[in-house]
């Protein structure tokens, strides 16, 4: 009996080694303020005036209206061929996928596409390419399992389908030909003056090789220099970039058999912060391959059973009372593993309502630890690998300054309620100000999402099929935006900037003014501040 058990153990071990572990990644575009999807990139291609791949909420999708998303979510990816110019061509490139450990099993790529019956003579269409680099140079045009390399929007074009339905299209890749660790799919949209093209649930069946702890690098790459108000939560302080290159694959998360690399700790400090009593609730957020800070990241990786997980939107614990050092640790309940390529973590603070104006909030990266015993969190001492930032990767120049407590006016009579519509009359419909370091105020993007507290029966609410309401209460009929991406801008002294402002629907006597407190004395009455 003893020999039988030994042979059985050897057989089980060999079985685990002989068969590849498939990891299915599904992107349904539910990271609602991150687009392109994390790790993806969008580019104009050839002739292009206005067409592009964009994020589209299901409830406001038109031309055509595709109905419920096949992925069950609230968002779709749209190629805006309805408003584009004839022959406009745009591409969107996925994150990289690892097929290197397929062991003869064909990798697959698939997605849902809506086929409608409008504009029969307009051949708006999609093509799919694959490449080992995120570029059209050297890319290979793929044919799907129906044997075609073009997917027309119009339902009766090749390949024919039922009118006004979602259809699943699959691309089967020959295992022997696709054995590299990084493949990018390139989706090309071509506008022919017809309806929009909708896509959802983009899926890749991957077969990853192991990730090597020695290939992991961590550095600070971004410093938030924007002013922050008191009482602001989740104010982004610094961004941490994680690069996994070399010979690493993406790895598999599977308990003690995991071949992905575990992130054991991120060690920060509050260097540059004037007074730690101004802050609380330090947290680490994750956005995958997106360089934009966000708190709504939705992972494309499968939800794993037990205590092992692919990266999610938070890492480590909340440090309720920050001190000099901030040690974010992989917890004993959930083991967090890294994905390969380039990904991003973000340190945030909550700024207390009692914080002192003109003080600064800042942070540095001390080090991180990766590897350790697979499936065990926290890792036993001495089993991980310390990752020290490169020269210049510990700290970034600058800091966020806590702003002055400006007075926000109140009104007994608003100007834009208009019979309870919350949508028209006298109001500012958008403000655009492009600043330094990629920062911008742009209220034409996501400007109608802050509708907390409105009556639930308003027709303008997205939940009722409307476009979203332009403000949230009556009175005062204005929006006071916190220090968040899209509402905060960094300006460089001595550089000229233009502010683009548009009034609402009232047809006369619109007066608009922009104020800035240049000398930070708490008012807007000094010369040049209006």
């Amino acid at each position: 009996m003893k020999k039988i058990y030994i042979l059985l153990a050897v057989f089980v071990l060999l079985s685990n080694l002989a068969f590849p572990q498939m990891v299915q990644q599904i992107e349904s575009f539910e990271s609602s303020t991150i687009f392109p999807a994390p790790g993806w990139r969008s580019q104009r291609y050839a002739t292009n005036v206005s067409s592009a791949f964009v994020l589209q909420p299901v409830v406001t999708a038109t031309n055509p209206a595709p109905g419920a998303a096949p992925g069950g979510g609230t968002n779709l990816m749209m190629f805006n061929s309805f408003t584009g110019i004839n022959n406009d061509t745009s591409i969107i490139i996925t994150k990289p996928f690892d097929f290197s450990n397929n062991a003869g099993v064909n990798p697959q790529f698939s997605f849902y596409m809506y086929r409608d019956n409008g504009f029969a003579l307009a051949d708006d269409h999609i093509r799919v390419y694959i490449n080992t680099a995120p570029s059209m140079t050297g890319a290979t045009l793929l044919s799907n399992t129906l044997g075609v390399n073009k997917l027309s929007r119009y339902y009766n074009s090749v390949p024919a389908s039922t009118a006004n339905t979602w259809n699943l299209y699959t691309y089967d890749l020959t295992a022997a030909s696709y054995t590299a660790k990084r493949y990018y799919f390139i989706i090309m949209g071509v506008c022919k003056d017809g309806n929009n093209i909708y896509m959802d649930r983009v899926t890749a069946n991957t077969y990853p090789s192991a990730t090597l702890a020695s290939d992991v690098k961590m550095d600070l790459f971004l410093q938030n220099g924007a002013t922050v108000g008191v009482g602001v939560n989740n104010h982004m302080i610094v961004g941490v970039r994680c690069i996994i290159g070399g010979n690493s694959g993406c790895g598999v998360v599977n308990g003690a058999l995991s071949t992905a690399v575990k992130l054991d700790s991120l060690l920060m400090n509050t260097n540059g912060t004037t007074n730690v009593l101004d802050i609380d609730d330090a947290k680490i957020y994750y956005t995958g391959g997106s360089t934009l800070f966000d708190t709504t990241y939705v992972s494309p990786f499968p939800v794993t059973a037990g205590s092992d997980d692919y990266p999610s939107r938070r890492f480590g614990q909340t440090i309720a009372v920050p001190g000099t050092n901030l040690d974010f640790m992989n917890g004993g309940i959930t083991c967090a593993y890294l994905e390969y390529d380039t990904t991003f973590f973000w340190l945030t603070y909550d700024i207390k309502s009692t914080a002192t104006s003109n003080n600064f909030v800042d942070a540095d990266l001390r080090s991180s630890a990766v590897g350790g015993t697979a499936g065990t969190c926290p890792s036993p001492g001495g089993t991980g690998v310390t990752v020290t930032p490169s020269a210049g990767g510990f700290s970034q120049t600058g800091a966020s300054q806590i702003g002055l407590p400006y007075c926000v006016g109140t009104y007994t009579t608003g100007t834009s309620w208009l019979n309870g519509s919350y949508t028209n009359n006298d109001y500012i419909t958008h403000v655009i100000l492009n600043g330094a370091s990629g920062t911008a105020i742009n209220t034409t993007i996501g400007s109608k999402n802050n509708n907390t507290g409105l009556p639930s029966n308003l027709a303008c609410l997205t939940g009722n099929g409307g476009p979203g309401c332009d403000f949230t209460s009556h009175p005062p009929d204005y929006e006071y935006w916190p220090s968040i991406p899209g509402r905060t801008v960094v300006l460089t002294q001595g550089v000229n900037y233009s502010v683009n402002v548009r009034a609402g629907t009232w047809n006369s006597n619109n007066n608009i003014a922009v104020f800035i407190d240049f000398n930070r004395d708490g008012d807007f009455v000094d010369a040049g501040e209006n």
Side-chain angles (χ1 to χ4, degrees):
M1 290 297 291
K2 185 174 183 181
K3 290 183 179 179
I4 293 175
Y5 282 119
I6 292 173
L7 290 173
L8 179 61
V10 172
F11 175 77
V12 171
L13 177 61
L14 290 175
S15 296
N16 282 327
L17 293 175
F19 295 99
Q21 297 186 70
M22 189 269 283
V23 177
Q24 187 177 74
Q25 295 191 44
I26 301 174
E27 181 55 68
S28 290
F29 311 105
E30 294 306 306
S31 299
S32 57
T33 56
I34 303 176
F35 193 86
W40 293 38
R41 61 204 81 188
S42 183
Q43 298 176 6
R44 292 187 174 188
Y45 184 77
T47 302
N48 192 302
V49 177
S50 59
S51 287
F53 287 92
V54 297
L55 186 70
Q56 174 60 54
V58 173
V59 294
T60 56
T62 58
N63 304 118
T74 60
N75 295 317
L76 304 168
M77 182 170 72
M78 179 181 77
F79 178 66
N80 63 340
S81 41
F82 181 79
T83 57
I85 304 300
N86 189 40
N87 291 322
D88 271 4
T89 303
S90 186
I91 60 176
I92 191 161
I93 305 172
T94 68
K95 61 185 291 189
F97 298 110
D98 184 356
F99 301 145
S100 59
N101 194 31
N102 65 55
V105 179
N106 288 351
Q108 287 186 336
F109 180 73
S110 65
F111 53 83
Y112 282 88
M113 176 174 161
Y114 192 76
R115 308 284 302 281
D116 73 89
N117 62 354
F119 299 94
L121 299 181
D123 187 27
D124 314 290
H125 62 268
I126 294 292
R127 295 185 189 271
V128 178
Y129 296 78
I130 191 170
N131 204 352
T132 54
S135 167
M136 283 296 296
T137 303
T140 300
L141 177 63
L142 295 177
S143 294
N144 56 37
T145 53
L146 298 177
V148 298
N149 60 22
K150 184 177 82 169
L151 295 174
S152 297
R153 171 199 53 79
Y154 183 64
Y155 81 101
N156 213 23
S157 297
V158 176
S161 66
T162 303
N164 304 317
T165 60
W166 283 100
N167 295 265
L168 177 64
Y169 296 103
T170 300
Y171 296 79
D172 205 31
L173 306 175
T174 305
S177 300
Y178 291 93
T179 58
K181 294 174 181 176
R182 281 174 173 77
Y183 287 102
Y184 301 82
F185 291 94
I186 304 169
I187 302 172
M188 176 183 289
V190 179
C191 170
K192 292 293 183 179
D193 286 343
N195 272 331
N196 295 318
I197 298 175
Y198 294 102
M199 303 175 68
D200 194 29
R201 200 174 169 83
V202 180
T203 302
N205 292 351
T206 70
Y207 297 90
S209 296
T211 311
L212 306 178
S214 57
D215 285 338
V216 179
K217 297 179 181 179
M218 291 269 195
D219 291 293
L220 279 191
F221 84 104
L222 183 68
Q223 172 75 56
N224 188 357
T227 300
V228 57
V230 297
V232 172
N233 292 334
N234 292 327
H235 177 64
M236 187 271 284
I237 303 299
V238 291
V240 178
R241 177 173 52 206
C242 175
I243 300 176
I244 301 180
N247 295 315
S248 283
C250 196
V252 174
V253 173
N254 185 19
L257 298 177
S258 294
T259 60
V261 164
K262 183 154 49 74
L263 175 61
D264 279 326
S265 64
L266 271 176
L267 306 182
M268 317 283 294
N269 61 36
T270 55
N271 281 0
T273 299
T274 306
N275 187 347
V276 293
L277 297 179
D278 288 331
I279 60 176
D280 54 17
D281 292 341
K283 297 182 282 290
I284 295 290
Y285 283 93
Y286 179 76
T287 58
S290 175
T291 58
L292 299 176
F293 167 67
D294 194 84
T295 61
T296 67
Y297 170 77
V298 176
S299 173
F301 288 94
V303 176
T304 54
S307 62
D308 299 293
D309 287 288
Y310 289 95
S312 61
R313 69 182 61 164
R314 286 284 310 277
F315 171 77
Q317 78 280 25
T318 297
I319 300 177
V321 184
T324 299
N325 287 337
L326 305 172
D327 294 352
F328 295 95
M329 311 298 292
N330 212 338
I333 299 175
T334 300
C335 281
Y337 289 79
L338 295 168
E339 58 178 310
Y340 77 159
D341 206 51
T342 303
T343 55
F344 301 90
F345 295 85
W346 311 87
L347 172 66
T348 70
Y349 299 154
D350 290 353
I351 310 301
K352 293 181 179 179
S353 60
T354 56
T356 302
S357 298
N358 292 325
N359 278 357
F360 289 91
V361 287
D362 196 5
D364 289 341
L365 172 65
R366 291 153 49 214
S367 68
S368 57
V370 301
T373 304
T376 303
C377 284
S379 291
T383 63
V385 175
T386 299
V387 179
T388 303
S390 61
F394 291 90
S395 181
Q396 293 279 311
T397 302
S400 283
Q401 189 170 23
I402 300 172
L404 296 169
Y406 293 103
C407 172
V408 178
T410 58
Y411 301 88
T412 55
T413 303
T415 62
S416 50
W417 183 50
L418 196 59
N419 301 321
S421 69
Y422 290 84
T423 58
N424 48 14
N425 204 356
D426 242 355
Y427 64 94
I428 303 297
T429 186
H430 82 224
V431 178
I432 298 175
L433 171 57
N434 294 315
S437 304
T439 60
I441 295 173
N442 191 334
T443 62
T444 65
I445 301 174
S447 61
K448 303 181 180 190
N449 294 333
N450 185 20
N451 294 153
T452 303
L454 286 181
S456 61
N457 61 349
L458 288 178
C460 57
L461 288 172
T462 56
N464 297 328
C469 305
D470 289 297
F471 47 93
T472 61
S473 63
H474 169 75
D477 304 302
Y478 64 76
E479 294 290 0
Y480 178 64
W481 290 102
S483 177
I484 59 175
R487 303 295 181 270
T488 303
V489 67
V490 176
L491 304 180
T492 301
Q493 186 174 6
V495 177
N496 293 327
Y497 298 92
S498 297
V499 183
N500 184 308
V501 184
R502 181 179 298 172
T505 57
W506 191 250
N507 58 13
S508 64
N509 298 322
N510 287 304
N511 297 294
I512 298 174
V514 177
F515 296 86
I516 184 169
D517 184 10
F518 279 117
N519 60 0
R520 296 181 56 81
D521 65 349
D523 61 47
F524 302 97
V525 298
D526 301 292
E529 292 189 340
N530 179 356

